[in-house]
mmCIF file of all heavy atoms in Angstrom:
data_model
loop_
_atom_site.group_PDB
_atom_site.id
_atom_site.type_symbol
_atom_site.label_atom_id
_atom_site.label_comp_id
_atom_site.label_asym_id
_atom_site.label_seq_id
_atom_site.Cartn_x
_atom_site.Cartn_y
_atom_site.Cartn_z
ATOM 1 N N ASP A 495 101.106 78.751 114.893
ATOM 2 C CA ASP A 495 102.331 78.520 115.625
ATOM 3 C C ASP A 495 102.678 77.031 115.768
ATOM 4 O O ASP A 495 103.792 76.730 116.277
ATOM 5 C CB ASP A 495 102.203 79.172 116.987
ATOM 6 C CG ASP A 495 102.106 80.698 116.863
ATOM 7 O OD1 ASP A 495 102.437 81.235 115.780
ATOM 8 O OD2 ASP A 495 101.735 81.363 117.859
ATOM 9 N N THR A 496 101.820 76.136 115.339
ATOM 10 C CA THR A 496 102.157 74.716 115.353
ATOM 11 C C THR A 496 102.929 74.266 114.114
ATOM 12 O O THR A 496 103.431 73.150 114.066
ATOM 13 C CB THR A 496 100.857 73.886 115.427
ATOM 14 O OG1 THR A 496 99.997 74.216 114.319
ATOM 15 C CG2 THR A 496 100.128 74.149 116.727
ATOM 16 N N ASP A 497 103.125 75.190 113.141
ATOM 17 C CA ASP A 497 103.802 74.816 111.914
ATOM 18 C C ASP A 497 105.317 74.924 112.088
ATOM 19 O O ASP A 497 106.011 75.616 111.372
ATOM 20 C CB ASP A 497 103.328 75.708 110.776
ATOM 21 C CG ASP A 497 103.867 75.238 109.406
ATOM 22 O OD1 ASP A 497 103.958 74.004 109.204
ATOM 23 O OD2 ASP A 497 104.149 76.079 108.519
ATOM 24 N N THR A 498 105.857 74.202 113.076
ATOM 25 C CA THR A 498 107.260 74.343 113.412
ATOM 26 C C THR A 498 108.209 73.741 112.373
ATOM 27 O O THR A 498 109.367 74.100 112.270
ATOM 28 C CB THR A 498 107.559 73.677 114.786
ATOM 29 O OG1 THR A 498 107.085 72.305 114.728
ATOM 30 C CG2 THR A 498 106.823 74.397 115.894
ATOM 31 N N THR A 499 107.718 72.797 111.567
ATOM 32 C CA THR A 499 108.518 72.203 110.518
ATOM 33 C C THR A 499 108.364 72.893 109.188
ATOM 34 O O THR A 499 109.092 72.627 108.221
ATOM 35 C CB THR A 499 108.144 70.730 110.328
ATOM 36 O OG1 THR A 499 106.814 70.631 109.838
ATOM 37 C CG2 THR A 499 108.286 69.961 111.639
ATOM 38 N N GLY A 500 107.409 73.815 109.090
ATOM 39 C CA GLY A 500 107.141 74.458 107.821
ATOM 40 C C GLY A 500 106.315 73.680 106.874
ATOM 41 O O GLY A 500 106.194 74.051 105.687
ATOM 42 N N ALA A 501 105.680 72.578 107.317
ATOM 43 C CA ALA A 501 104.910 71.729 106.430
ATOM 44 C C ALA A 501 103.697 72.433 105.889
ATOM 45 O O ALA A 501 103.373 72.318 104.668
ATOM 46 C CB ALA A 501 104.525 70.450 107.154
ATOM 47 N N VAL A 502 102.981 73.209 106.752
ATOM 48 C CA VAL A 502 101.810 73.913 106.270
ATOM 49 C C VAL A 502 102.212 74.976 105.280
ATOM 50 O O VAL A 502 101.608 75.158 104.228
ATOM 51 C CB VAL A 502 101.050 74.492 107.440
ATOM 52 C CG1 VAL A 502 99.850 75.310 106.954
ATOM 53 C CG2 VAL A 502 100.563 73.387 108.359
ATOM 54 N N ALA A 503 103.255 75.717 105.613
ATOM 55 C CA ALA A 503 103.740 76.784 104.696
ATOM 56 C C ALA A 503 104.141 76.162 103.325
ATOM 57 O O ALA A 503 103.844 76.701 102.304
ATOM 58 C CB ALA A 503 104.926 77.519 105.321
ATOM 59 N N GLY A 504 104.801 75.004 103.391
ATOM 60 C CA GLY A 504 105.171 74.353 102.137
ATOM 61 C C GLY A 504 103.969 73.923 101.333
ATOM 62 O O GLY A 504 103.980 74.043 100.077
ATOM 63 N N ALA A 505 102.947 73.415 102.004
ATOM 64 C CA ALA A 505 101.737 73.006 101.294
ATOM 65 C C ALA A 505 101.036 74.201 100.646
ATOM 66 O O ALA A 505 100.611 74.135 99.486
ATOM 67 C CB ALA A 505 100.789 72.296 102.243
ATOM 68 N N ILE A 506 100.995 75.299 101.348
ATOM 69 C CA ILE A 506 100.397 76.532 100.806
ATOM 70 C C ILE A 506 101.147 76.940 99.545
ATOM 71 O O ILE A 506 100.526 77.260 98.528
ATOM 72 C CB ILE A 506 100.445 77.656 101.840
ATOM 73 C CG1 ILE A 506 99.417 77.361 102.989
ATOM 74 C CG2 ILE A 506 100.118 79.001 101.201
ATOM 75 C CD1 ILE A 506 99.511 78.290 104.137
ATOM 76 N N ARG A 507 102.437 76.927 99.566
ATOM 77 C CA ARG A 507 103.206 77.299 98.382
ATOM 78 C C ARG A 507 102.987 76.313 97.234
ATOM 79 O O ARG A 507 103.008 76.710 96.085
ATOM 80 C CB ARG A 507 104.689 77.435 98.725
ATOM 81 C CG ARG A 507 105.027 78.600 99.565
ATOM 82 C CD ARG A 507 106.519 78.903 99.588
ATOM 83 N NE ARG A 507 107.034 79.123 98.248
ATOM 84 C CZ ARG A 507 108.323 79.102 97.889
ATOM 85 N NH1 ARG A 507 109.224 78.851 98.806
ATOM 86 N NH2 ARG A 507 108.663 79.339 96.670
ATOM 87 N N SER A 508 102.799 75.047 97.576
ATOM 88 C CA SER A 508 102.616 74.077 96.471
ATOM 89 C C SER A 508 101.273 74.284 95.752
ATOM 90 O O SER A 508 101.159 74.013 94.556
ATOM 91 C CB SER A 508 102.647 72.633 97.052
ATOM 92 O OG SER A 508 101.508 72.346 97.814
ATOM 93 N N PHE A 509 100.248 74.789 96.475
ATOM 94 C CA PHE A 509 98.966 75.060 95.837
ATOM 95 C C PHE A 509 98.921 76.456 95.218
ATOM 96 O O PHE A 509 98.082 76.681 94.333
ATOM 97 C CB PHE A 509 97.866 75.014 96.927
ATOM 98 C CG PHE A 509 97.757 73.742 97.672
ATOM 99 C CD1 PHE A 509 97.548 73.764 99.062
ATOM 100 C CD2 PHE A 509 97.905 72.517 97.047
ATOM 101 C CE1 PHE A 509 97.476 72.612 99.815
ATOM 102 C CE2 PHE A 509 97.803 71.354 97.764
ATOM 103 C CZ PHE A 509 97.594 71.379 99.124
ATOM 104 N N ASN A 510 99.782 77.364 95.638
ATOM 105 C CA ASN A 510 99.740 78.749 95.224
ATOM 106 C C ASN A 510 101.086 79.145 94.666
ATOM 107 O O ASN A 510 101.994 79.597 95.416
ATOM 108 C CB ASN A 510 99.392 79.633 96.413
ATOM 109 C CG ASN A 510 98.012 79.327 96.999
ATOM 110 O OD1 ASN A 510 97.015 79.859 96.504
ATOM 111 N ND2 ASN A 510 97.977 78.478 97.994
ATOM 112 N N PRO A 511 101.305 79.006 93.358
ATOM 113 C CA PRO A 511 102.636 79.172 92.794
ATOM 114 C C PRO A 511 103.219 80.579 92.847
ATOM 115 O O PRO A 511 104.408 80.785 92.713
ATOM 116 C CB PRO A 511 102.433 78.755 91.327
ATOM 117 C CG PRO A 511 100.954 78.939 91.046
ATOM 118 C CD PRO A 511 100.287 78.637 92.343
ATOM 119 N N HIS A 512 102.372 81.582 93.109
ATOM 120 C CA HIS A 512 102.847 82.974 93.094
ATOM 121 C C HIS A 512 103.479 83.372 94.451
ATOM 122 O O HIS A 512 104.116 84.413 94.505
ATOM 123 C CB HIS A 512 101.664 83.912 92.753
ATOM 124 C CG HIS A 512 100.459 83.650 93.553
ATOM 125 N ND1 HIS A 512 99.788 82.437 93.544
ATOM 126 C CD2 HIS A 512 99.707 84.417 94.402
ATOM 127 C CE1 HIS A 512 98.733 82.478 94.302
ATOM 128 N NE2 HIS A 512 98.655 83.678 94.870
ATOM 129 N N PHE A 513 103.323 82.538 95.468
ATOM 130 C CA PHE A 513 103.963 82.854 96.753
ATOM 131 C C PHE A 513 105.438 82.388 96.742
ATOM 132 O O PHE A 513 105.718 81.196 96.489
ATOM 133 C CB PHE A 513 103.220 82.203 97.903
ATOM 134 C CG PHE A 513 101.934 82.866 98.262
ATOM 135 C CD1 PHE A 513 100.729 82.186 98.088
ATOM 136 C CD2 PHE A 513 101.895 84.152 98.743
ATOM 137 C CE1 PHE A 513 99.540 82.822 98.407
ATOM 138 C CE2 PHE A 513 100.726 84.806 99.052
ATOM 139 C CZ PHE A 513 99.524 84.113 98.868
ATOM 140 N N LYS A 514 106.314 83.289 97.038
ATOM 141 C CA LYS A 514 107.745 82.988 97.063
ATOM 142 C C LYS A 514 108.278 82.779 98.504
ATOM 143 O O LYS A 514 109.363 82.251 98.685
ATOM 144 C CB LYS A 514 108.550 84.150 96.411
ATOM 145 C CG LYS A 514 108.043 84.528 95.020
ATOM 146 C CD LYS A 514 107.983 83.317 94.118
ATOM 147 C CE LYS A 514 107.368 83.638 92.778
ATOM 148 N NZ LYS A 514 107.194 82.452 91.871
ATOM 149 N N TYR A 515 107.485 83.217 99.461
ATOM 150 C CA TYR A 515 107.870 83.050 100.867
ATOM 151 C C TYR A 515 106.630 82.968 101.708
ATOM 152 O O TYR A 515 105.729 83.797 101.538
ATOM 153 C CB TYR A 515 108.749 84.266 101.318
ATOM 154 C CG TYR A 515 109.191 84.244 102.767
ATOM 155 C CD1 TYR A 515 109.941 83.206 103.280
ATOM 156 C CD2 TYR A 515 108.867 85.292 103.604
ATOM 157 C CE1 TYR A 515 110.348 83.199 104.646
ATOM 158 C CE2 TYR A 515 109.250 85.326 104.944
ATOM 159 C CZ TYR A 515 110.015 84.237 105.468
ATOM 160 O OH TYR A 515 110.399 84.263 106.749
ATOM 161 N N VAL A 516 106.600 82.012 102.596
ATOM 162 C CA VAL A 516 105.498 81.878 103.549
ATOM 163 C C VAL A 516 106.083 81.412 104.856
ATOM 164 O O VAL A 516 106.775 80.375 104.933
ATOM 165 C CB VAL A 516 104.422 80.859 103.081
ATOM 166 C CG1 VAL A 516 103.312 80.769 104.148
ATOM 167 C CG2 VAL A 516 103.849 81.247 101.747
ATOM 168 N N GLN A 517 105.872 82.169 105.915
ATOM 169 C CA GLN A 517 106.393 81.834 107.293
ATOM 170 C C GLN A 517 105.223 82.102 108.240
ATOM 171 O O GLN A 517 104.769 83.230 108.338
ATOM 172 C CB GLN A 517 107.611 82.631 107.625
ATOM 173 C CG GLN A 517 108.619 81.924 108.566
ATOM 174 C CD GLN A 517 108.041 81.650 109.930
ATOM 175 O OE1 GLN A 517 107.231 82.430 110.439
ATOM 176 N NE2 GLN A 517 108.476 80.560 110.537
ATOM 177 N N LEU A 518 104.778 81.122 108.964
ATOM 178 C CA LEU A 518 103.517 81.178 109.707
ATOM 179 C C LEU A 518 103.651 81.305 111.209
ATOM 180 O O LEU A 518 102.616 81.456 111.876
ATOM 181 C CB LEU A 518 102.683 79.968 109.380
ATOM 182 C CG LEU A 518 102.341 79.694 107.883
ATOM 183 C CD1 LEU A 518 101.614 78.384 107.693
ATOM 184 C CD2 LEU A 518 101.583 80.852 107.273
ATOM 185 N N THR A 519 104.844 81.225 111.748
ATOM 186 C CA THR A 519 104.942 81.061 113.201
ATOM 187 C C THR A 519 105.621 82.191 113.921
ATOM 188 O O THR A 519 105.515 82.278 115.171
ATOM 189 C CB THR A 519 105.751 79.789 113.547
ATOM 190 O OG1 THR A 519 107.113 79.992 113.127
ATOM 191 C CG2 THR A 519 105.192 78.586 112.842
ATOM 192 N N ARG A 520 106.260 83.153 113.254
ATOM 193 C CA ARG A 520 107.100 84.090 113.968
ATOM 194 C C ARG A 520 106.564 85.517 113.972
ATOM 195 O O ARG A 520 105.851 85.934 113.069
ATOM 196 C CB ARG A 520 108.530 84.055 113.351
ATOM 197 C CG ARG A 520 109.170 82.671 113.335
ATOM 198 C CD ARG A 520 110.621 82.684 113.010
ATOM 199 N NE ARG A 520 111.385 83.251 114.110
ATOM 200 C CZ ARG A 520 112.688 83.440 114.065
ATOM 201 N NH1 ARG A 520 113.388 83.090 113.005
ATOM 202 N NH2 ARG A 520 113.342 83.994 115.097
ATOM 203 N N ARG A 521 106.884 86.255 115.020
ATOM 204 C CA ARG A 521 106.411 87.637 115.220
ATOM 205 C C ARG A 521 107.537 88.581 114.939
ATOM 206 O O ARG A 521 108.706 88.259 115.063
ATOM 207 C CB ARG A 521 105.950 87.810 116.665
ATOM 208 C CG ARG A 521 105.061 86.701 117.250
ATOM 209 C CD ARG A 521 103.623 86.850 116.837
ATOM 210 N NE ARG A 521 103.387 86.523 115.483
ATOM 211 C CZ ARG A 521 103.241 85.261 115.023
ATOM 212 N NH1 ARG A 521 103.357 84.242 115.828
ATOM 213 N NH2 ARG A 521 103.008 85.039 113.719
ATOM 214 N N GLY A 522 107.205 89.828 114.610
ATOM 215 C CA GLY A 522 108.246 90.820 114.331
ATOM 216 C C GLY A 522 107.737 91.951 113.510
ATOM 217 O O GLY A 522 106.666 92.483 113.704
ATOM 218 N N TYR A 523 108.552 92.294 112.472
ATOM 219 C CA TYR A 523 108.213 93.456 111.598
ATOM 220 C C TYR A 523 108.960 93.270 110.243
ATOM 221 O O TYR A 523 109.819 92.431 110.102
ATOM 222 C CB TYR A 523 108.634 94.786 112.280
ATOM 223 C CG TYR A 523 110.111 94.900 112.541
ATOM 224 C CD1 TYR A 523 110.955 95.602 111.641
ATOM 225 C CD2 TYR A 523 110.697 94.403 113.681
ATOM 226 C CE1 TYR A 523 112.302 95.720 111.884
ATOM 227 C CE2 TYR A 523 112.036 94.526 113.939
ATOM 228 C CZ TYR A 523 112.859 95.200 113.057
ATOM 229 O OH TYR A 523 114.180 95.325 113.293
ATOM 230 N N MET A 524 108.505 94.089 109.292
ATOM 231 C CA MET A 524 109.219 94.160 108.028
ATOM 232 C C MET A 524 110.007 95.448 107.965
ATOM 233 O O MET A 524 109.618 96.469 108.519
ATOM 234 C CB MET A 524 108.231 94.148 106.824
ATOM 235 C CG MET A 524 107.632 92.817 106.519
ATOM 236 S SD MET A 524 106.814 92.757 104.871
ATOM 237 C CE MET A 524 105.678 94.114 104.961
ATOM 238 N N LEU A 525 111.114 95.370 107.279
ATOM 239 C CA LEU A 525 111.937 96.516 106.983
ATOM 240 C C LEU A 525 111.948 96.719 105.484
ATOM 241 O O LEU A 525 112.303 95.822 104.734
ATOM 242 C CB LEU A 525 113.355 96.336 107.474
ATOM 243 C CG LEU A 525 114.349 97.478 107.290
ATOM 244 C CD1 LEU A 525 113.938 98.687 108.132
ATOM 245 C CD2 LEU A 525 115.736 97.074 107.637
ATOM 246 N N MET A 526 111.529 97.911 105.026
ATOM 247 C CA MET A 526 111.483 98.210 103.578
ATOM 248 C C MET A 526 112.586 99.204 103.231
ATOM 249 O O MET A 526 112.746 100.219 103.914
ATOM 250 C CB MET A 526 110.086 98.800 103.202
ATOM 251 C CG MET A 526 108.939 97.945 103.583
ATOM 252 S SD MET A 526 108.949 96.269 102.917
ATOM 253 C CE MET A 526 108.973 96.613 101.168
ATOM 254 N N ASP A 527 113.339 98.870 102.231
ATOM 255 C CA ASP A 527 114.474 99.731 101.791
ATOM 256 C C ASP A 527 114.230 99.973 100.293
ATOM 257 O O ASP A 527 114.214 99.089 99.467
ATOM 258 C CB ASP A 527 115.799 99.050 102.001
ATOM 259 C CG ASP A 527 116.963 100.013 101.843
ATOM 260 O OD1 ASP A 527 117.402 100.209 100.691
ATOM 261 O OD2 ASP A 527 117.371 100.579 102.856
ATOM 262 N N VAL A 528 114.043 101.333 99.964
ATOM 263 C CA VAL A 528 113.677 101.738 98.586
ATOM 264 C C VAL A 528 114.723 102.619 98.014
ATOM 265 O O VAL A 528 115.183 103.577 98.647
ATOM 266 C CB VAL A 528 112.315 102.493 98.661
ATOM 267 C CG1 VAL A 528 111.826 102.826 97.248
ATOM 268 C CG2 VAL A 528 111.264 101.670 99.409
ATOM 269 N N ASN A 529 115.106 102.341 96.801
ATOM 270 C CA ASN A 529 115.934 103.277 96.016
ATOM 271 C C ASN A 529 115.460 103.249 94.559
ATOM 272 O O ASN A 529 114.457 102.591 94.256
ATOM 273 C CB ASN A 529 117.460 103.021 96.171
ATOM 274 C CG ASN A 529 117.900 101.681 95.590
ATOM 275 O OD1 ASN A 529 117.310 101.149 94.701
ATOM 276 N ND2 ASN A 529 118.979 101.190 96.133
ATOM 277 N N ARG A 530 116.159 103.936 93.709
ATOM 278 C CA ARG A 530 115.726 104.042 92.298
ATOM 279 C C ARG A 530 115.738 102.690 91.578
ATOM 280 O O ARG A 530 114.995 102.461 90.631
ATOM 281 C CB ARG A 530 116.615 105.013 91.546
ATOM 282 C CG ARG A 530 116.527 106.458 92.021
ATOM 283 C CD ARG A 530 115.181 107.061 91.655
ATOM 284 N NE ARG A 530 115.048 108.410 92.228
ATOM 285 C CZ ARG A 530 113.988 109.196 92.037
ATOM 286 N NH1 ARG A 530 112.924 108.684 91.394
ATOM 287 N NH2 ARG A 530 113.938 110.393 92.609
ATOM 288 N N ASP A 531 116.573 101.774 92.042
ATOM 289 C CA ASP A 531 116.787 100.500 91.344
ATOM 290 C C ASP A 531 115.832 99.428 91.799
ATOM 291 O O ASP A 531 115.518 98.502 91.061
ATOM 292 C CB ASP A 531 118.220 100.052 91.468
ATOM 293 C CG ASP A 531 119.214 101.033 90.876
ATOM 294 O OD1 ASP A 531 118.886 101.640 89.865
ATOM 295 O OD2 ASP A 531 120.303 101.224 91.461
#
Side-chain angles (χ1 to χ4, degrees):
D495 294 345
T496 57
D497 189 36
T498 55
T499 66
V502 176
I506 289 171
R507 288 195 59 195
S508 71
F509 304 138
N510 298 274
H512 48 302
F513 285 115
K514 308 306 176 186
Y515 177 59
V516 179
Q517 211 295 327
L518 304 175
T519 67
R520 304 192 70 182
R521 314 279 73 80
Y523 62 96
M524 283 195 306
L525 181 68
M526 305 302 301
D527 193 274
V528 183
N529 65 28
R530 295 290 176 182
D531 299 323

